Amino acid sequence: MGHSRLVIVSVCLGLCAIALGRDRMVYPSPGYRWDLAATRASLTTAQVEVVRKDQLIITDQSFTQVFKAYEGGDIPYFITSDSVLNAFHVLYEESVARLESANARRLPGIVRQLWKELKPTDKKAKGDAKLIAAATLRARAVVGIALRLFGEDKLEAEGPLNEIIDAEVKRIVAAEGHGKPAWLGERDPGFLEIDYTRFKVRGFYQRREDLTRYFRAVAWLEAIPFRVAKEEELLSMLMIGNIAWHFENNTREDFDKIIDGRHQLLGTSDGWDLKAAAEDAQSYSSRDYSADFLRITREFLAKRPLGGGQPEINDQLALLPSDDGVAEIAFRILSPCRLPDAVLFQRTTQGQPGAAFPAGLELCAALGSAEARAMLPARNREAVLKQIDKSRPLFKGTALYQQYLQCLAALLEEPDKDAPRVFSSQAWKVKSCQSVLGGWAQMRHTWVLQAKENVLFLGASRQPAGFVEPAPEFFSRMARLVENTEDALRGMGAFQTDCAHMAALLRRIADSFEYADPAADADSIVDEIAKTEQIGWDNLRWLVAATGYLDEPDEARGRALHIAVLRTTADDFDKGVEPKKPALRQCMRELETEVEPNWRQLGRVCRRLEALSQKQLRGVDFTVDEESFIRSFGHTLGQIMFYQGTSYQHPRDDAPRVVDVFSNPGRGQFLEVGVGRPRALYILYPHNGEEVLCRGAVLPYYEFVHDSRLDDGEWKALLDGKDHPAPPDWLSGKAETTPRR
């Protein structure tokens, strides 16, 4: 707190010095020239000219703290609104940090009470048993995860629930990536995935471990919606609300302090919270979860004034709604607050073509700056200004946050008629916008946890996941070909276990260990093998471990035993005998390459591409699942091509293929045709009136005459050499189309 006091005291002392020491101020002497004073203050000639033109400039000179600008020197001081705002925020954030420290002591007890009362089963509950069980699991998972984030490692949770909690806590602490765990249900337009980066601890919450834990737990409780339209989610929240309604006095008091404090400081929640759910709990029996109960509850909620229940801000990875709404009506255990600037940004980006991010100037315009309105980007300006004007009433509330914004708005008003001319200049108005946004940014920094964040909808205005080549007939024919080929190969016995392949693989691994550097460890040897084999590093490591090699303390003896087991197992495979070691038997069953399922998968992929191509041609948008299919197409294709596990990350360099298709004995030459390594194809695909740059892959075709028949290895070496053949002339638009050397 000492640094906060220092800032305030310094500012106050500076103000007093000016007030009390006015008579001692040194006025310019005859012959004073401001440009010379500017030069002594280290302003460059160019900066001096800017001052001459605009009457002000903001330089690159910096200070460690704002008050340092008001120390020393022979230049009179000019006390800015920025300096006062900064002092305010240092004090304000420290105060909020102390408030949050108290809440970090209160909230764990509240969550602990919820967990204690959420029983795994309730045999006397009335309603659909399956639905009740699912709703109970959801409630216990959300609450249990929060409790674990608070540091309670000993939870009496059944096996599957414990696994859910462990996995989710790891993701939250890592704060990376995005996804939707299975226990939260399938991806749907209103709740596609969780963005786990939202749980990255920021601000003063990084100071201490208790604040760090509190941040993660609160962010989690704010993140998970319990949507009214989803039976399981609604019932789950009502179960939690019923417990909250019966909180004991001390727990209820702590709970009210947290919720009411948020509302007083920041304004209403953007959605219903646990307190609203607890109030609803008065009207029903704690064990009546019947269909009639859910229907009556929905009817009641439909008639209730929405207020905070109707979201104005989207903070989920979700698709743009087809109606005018922002998100589905939902409860959250802790609902983040609806800040007027966040609502503004939602409105100025939602459905606006090309609006990837809002601009801070939109806030200044909403607060009354005509200069900010004029500086807004020309694209969509009229539409954005319409939303800004519509949103201006949001900034007139009584919450302390809104009052703060009204203070900032004063900086944007026209100056007093007696103010010096500079304060009517464009340069000053621009500076005022900067001051407003600087103050606003500091305020948002304080409320990084409680303020509902904006997430741009993944709607029609977003860049699509991709497109499909518009050739449905091709994909249809390919699907039929795949099906027919699968039938034929099955009849030929091609899908039986390939014992010879497994035996050969084991012998290659044994050779690698036998001829490796004696000083090399198992992991480095496995790494080298993985570069050439059609099997991932993890699976190879598993195979090595299954021989018992890693259990032998003597390195040399262990390697010899390992090689012997590999060769013996290979011999057994040649004879059709299963491995003797149980671990190795299980490993082999897992590692056997099953060709038949890959054919079926390829057939399904072709059929799906046919359907997507048809939809695309008809201008029908892809579903969430179809978008996901396109995003994961590379991985799906890799699996079909036998890249399982981590082998997908390290594919072999064996795509080039070549074959001789014609020979001329008289000349002793051969016509070779082949393909090289895949190359990227970039294409502009029209979408919603815009052209979208897309990337695909093509295999370049080669056709040339050679003096000998080439194999794939020789072809690859030829491609990588200086004298590699060029693609056919017709591919480059040249007239000559005959094969050439």
Side-chain angles (χ1 to χ4, degrees):
M1 184 61 187
H3 66 285
S4 303
R5 288 175 179 161
L6 182 58
V7 172
I8 300 300
V9 169
S10 298
V11 172
C12 292
L13 288 176
L15 291 169
C16 291
I18 292 174
L20 298 177
R22 184 178 302 276
D23 292 340
R24 295 194 297 274
M25 291 182 69
V26 179
Y27 289 91
S29 58
Y32 169 81
R33 291 177 53 185
W34 69 264
D35 53 343
L36 295 180
T39 301
R40 289 195 298 272
S42 301
L43 268 68
T44 65
T45 302
Q47 290 173 327
V48 170
E49 290 306 310
V50 171
V51 175
R52 194 182 307 279
K53 174 179 176 292
D54 296 335
Q55 294 186 286
L56 74 153
I57 189 174
I58 300 174
T59 72
D60 294 331
Q61 184 183 1
S62 62
F63 304 92
T64 55
Q65 292 289 341
V66 69
F67 56 83
K68 295 293 290 183
Y70 298 99
E71 289 183 359
D74 58 358
I75 303 290
Y77 298 145
F78 175 71
I79 298 176
T80 62
S81 56
D82 304 66
S83 61
V84 177
L85 281 170
N86 182 242
F88 167 83
H89 282 291
V90 170
L91 181 58
Y92 185 75
E93 185 156 300
E94 180 64 28
S95 302
V96 172
R98 295 188 176 201
L99 174 64
E100 287 292 86
S101 294
N103 289 336
R105 295 190 295 271
R106 297 183 181 116
L107 190 57
I110 296 169
V111 178
R112 193 178 300 112
Q113 184 69 22
L114 293 175
W115 173 261
K116 179 181 177 181
E117 299 297 330
L118 279 170
K119 306 298 182 183
T121 58
D122 187 350
K123 296 181 180 180
K124 294 183 179 180
K126 180 181 178 182
D128 184 321
K130 186 177 180 180
L131 176 62
I132 292 173
T136 303
L137 175 63
R138 178 181 292 264
R140 282 170 57 77
V142 173
V143 173
I145 289 164
L147 200 54
R148 183 70 62 80
L149 289 169
F150 275 126
E152 296 222 8
D153 296 327
K154 296 180 180 179
L155 299 179
E156 295 181 3
E158 53 272 27
L161 178 57
N162 211 39
E163 293 174 4
I164 287 172
I165 293 173
D166 286 344
E168 207 60 36
V169 167
K170 288 179 181 177
R171 294 190 192 103
I172 293 167
V173 172
E176 297 174 348
H178 52 82
K180 189 175 184 181
W183 63 272
L184 279 174
E186 296 291 331
R187 288 161 46 101
D188 62 76
F191 186 10
L192 290 174
E193 295 177 331
I194 299 171
D195 178 3
Y196 286 93
T197 62
R198 70 187 294 164
F199 304 118
K200 181 179 180 180
V201 182
R202 285 102 76 199
F204 60 77
Y205 297 96
Q206 296 175 305
R207 294 182 187 175
R208 301 194 312 269
E209 182 63 23
D210 62 325
L211 287 173
T212 292
R213 291 182 177 277
Y214 173 79
F215 182 99
R216 291 177 178 141
V218 170
W220 168 254
L221 294 174
E222 291 177 337
I224 304 303
F226 295 80
R227 292 169 290 181
V228 173
K230 307 287 184 181
E231 282 193 344
E232 179 186 315
E233 297 181 25
L234 175 60
L235 180 54
S236 184
M237 189 65 200
L238 293 174
M239 289 176 174
I240 301 172
N242 183 63
I243 297 170
W245 173 247
H246 294 92
F247 275 159
E248 297 177 354
N249 289 339
N250 290 341
T251 305
R252 178 175 294 279
E253 183 179 349
D254 286 343
F255 180 58
D256 288 344
K257 283 181 179 178
I258 293 174
I259 301 297
D260 295 344
R262 284 182 168 216
H263 293 171
Q264 182 178 358
L265 291 166
L266 294 172
T268 184
S269 298
D270 196 56
W272 288 320
D273 54 25
L274 180 56
K275 189 170 184 179
E279 293 170 354
D280 294 337
Q282 303 175 63
S283 59
Y284 63 88
S285 165
S286 62
R287 294 182 177 179
D288 182 5
Y289 304 137
S290 63
D292 285 341
F293 156 69
L294 289 174
R295 176 181 55 78
I296 293 170
T297 302
R298 278 212 186 92
E299 291 175 355
F300 167 74
L301 293 175
K303 295 176 183 177
R304 173 200 269 177
L306 287 176
Q310 178 63 61
E312 294 270 7
I313 305 163
N314 174 60
D315 69 337
Q316 298 285 6
L317 292 178
L319 294 182
L320 182 68
S322 57
D323 55 21
D324 293 332
V326 171
E328 296 175 82
I329 297 175
F331 289 90
R332 313 249 181 137
I333 293 180
L334 288 176
S335 183
C337 292
R338 176 189 298 165
L339 300 187
D341 43 281
V343 177
L344 170 69
F345 293 157
Q346 186 73 52
R347 294 175 178 177
T348 57
T349 55
Q350 180 173 325
Q352 301 293 338
F357 296 97
L361 284 175
E362 295 167 12
L363 172 61
C364 291
L367 292 177
S369 171
E371 193 69 24
R373 294 174 72 92
M375 291 190 295
L376 286 171
R379 182 175 182 175
N380 299 327
R381 179 184 294 170
E382 292 306 316
V384 169
L385 287 175
K386 181 178 179 181
Q387 294 299 330
I388 288 173
D389 293 337
K390 174 185 175 182
S391 303
R392 293 189 70 174
L394 298 171
F395 297 84
K396 301 297 184 182
T398 58
L400 292 181
Y401 186 89
Q402 291 162 311
Q403 293 180 40
Y404 173 78
L405 292 178
Q406 291 161 24
C407 291
L408 296 182
L411 297 176
L412 303 173
E413 295 175 356
E414 288 297 319
D416 188 278
K417 62 181 180 65
D418 294 327
R421 180 171 56 88
V422 62
F423 298 105
S424 298
S425 69
Q426 180 185 15
W428 181 258
K429 292 175 180 177
V430 171
K431 178 268 170 196
S432 296
C433 288
Q434 174 182 276
S435 300
V436 166
L437 294 176
W440 168 71
Q442 292 174 82
M443 178 62 81
R444 287 297 300 260
H445 178 272
T446 299
W447 296 114
V448 63
L449 178 58
Q450 294 79 3
K452 193 172 187 181
E453 65 179 45
N454 292 86
V455 176
L456 186 68
F457 274 118
L458 300 175
S461 62
R462 79 194 194 288
Q463 181 169 301
F467 303 92
V468 177
E469 186 171 335
E473 180 61 22
F474 164 78
F475 295 119
S476 175
R477 293 183 184 185
M478 279 299 301
R480 288 196 298 271
L481 175 62
V482 167
E483 292 160 2
N484 293 340
T485 304
E486 179 188 348
D487 289 342
L489 291 174
R490 185 186 302 106
M492 298 174 190
F495 300 143
Q496 296 175 4
T497 301
D498 188 354
C499 293
H501 170 76
M502 292 302 300
L505 171 63
L506 292 173
R507 290 192 178 100
R508 287 196 296 272
I509 295 173
D511 288 343
S512 297
F513 272 88
E514 186 168 357
Y515 299 115
D517 185 343
D521 58 22
D523 286 351
S524 63
I525 298 173
V526 168
D527 189 48
E528 289 300 314
I529 299 171
K531 294 177 180 178
T532 58
E533 295 300 328
Q534 200 149 336
I535 179 175
W537 191 95
D538 291 339
N539 287 337
L540 277 173
R541 183 69 162 69
W542 183 20
L543 183 58
V544 170
T547 66
Y549 165 55
L550 299 181
D551 298 330
E552 174 58 54
D554 187 312
E555 183 76 17
R557 173 180 166 78
R559 181 173 296 190
L561 289 173
H562 165 60
I563 294 169
V565 169
L566 287 171
R567 297 198 185 283
T568 301
T569 305
D571 292 341
D572 289 341
F573 262 106
D574 280 339
K575 300 172 185 176
V577 178
E578 280 196 337
K580 298 180 178 63
K581 294 174 69 68
L584 199 51
R585 267 200 313 275
Q586 181 184 357
C587 178
M588 290 301 179
R589 281 195 292 270
E590 294 289 338
L591 294 179
E592 285 177 357
T593 302
E594 297 186 11
V595 178
E596 188 173 9
N598 290 27
W599 279 101
R600 290 196 293 270
Q601 175 75 343
L602 178 57
R604 289 191 292 268
V605 167
C606 289
R607 291 295 183 194
R608 192 159 199 183
L609 290 173
E610 176 192 3
L612 293 179
S613 184
Q614 291 281 14
K615 289 185 69 172
Q616 190 175 283
L617 287 169
R618 304 296 176 268
V620 179
D621 290 338
F622 293 160
T623 66
V624 174
D625 183 57
E626 289 164 346
E627 292 265 0
S628 178
F629 167 78
I630 291 175
R631 289 191 180 92
S632 61
F633 181 70
H635 188 262
T636 300
L637 209 59
Q639 290 181 321
I640 292 172
M641 297 169 67
F642 303 110
Y643 284 98
Q644 308 291 332
T646 57
S647 65
Y648 173 78
Q649 301 172 5
H650 307 286
R652 297 183 306 280
D653 181 16
D654 61 358
R657 296 284 193 270
V658 74
V659 63
D660 52 281
V661 296
F662 192 90
S663 67
N664 186 327
R667 298 183 60 176
Q669 293 177 324
F670 305 87
L671 177 63
E672 303 280 342
V673 296
V675 294
R677 295 180 180 87
R679 293 180 182 175
L681 166 72
Y682 289 92
I683 185 171
L684 287 176
Y685 202 99
H687 178 70
N688 287 348
E690 297 186 61
E691 290 184 322
V692 179
L693 181 65
C694 307
R695 185 186 69 185
V698 296
L699 268 71
Y701 173 73
Y702 290 86
E703 180 182 300
F704 58 99
V705 173
H706 202 264
D707 292 339
S708 62
R709 302 178 192 268
L710 296 174
D711 62 23
D712 291 340
E714 292 167 334
W715 169 226
K716 183 180 173 184
L718 184 60
L719 272 177
D720 293 338
K722 294 181 180 179
D723 299 324
H724 59 79
D729 289 336
W730 53 264
L731 278 176
S732 59
K734 296 180 181 179
E736 182 183 353
T737 60
T738 55
R740 61 186 176 89
R741 296 189 64 169

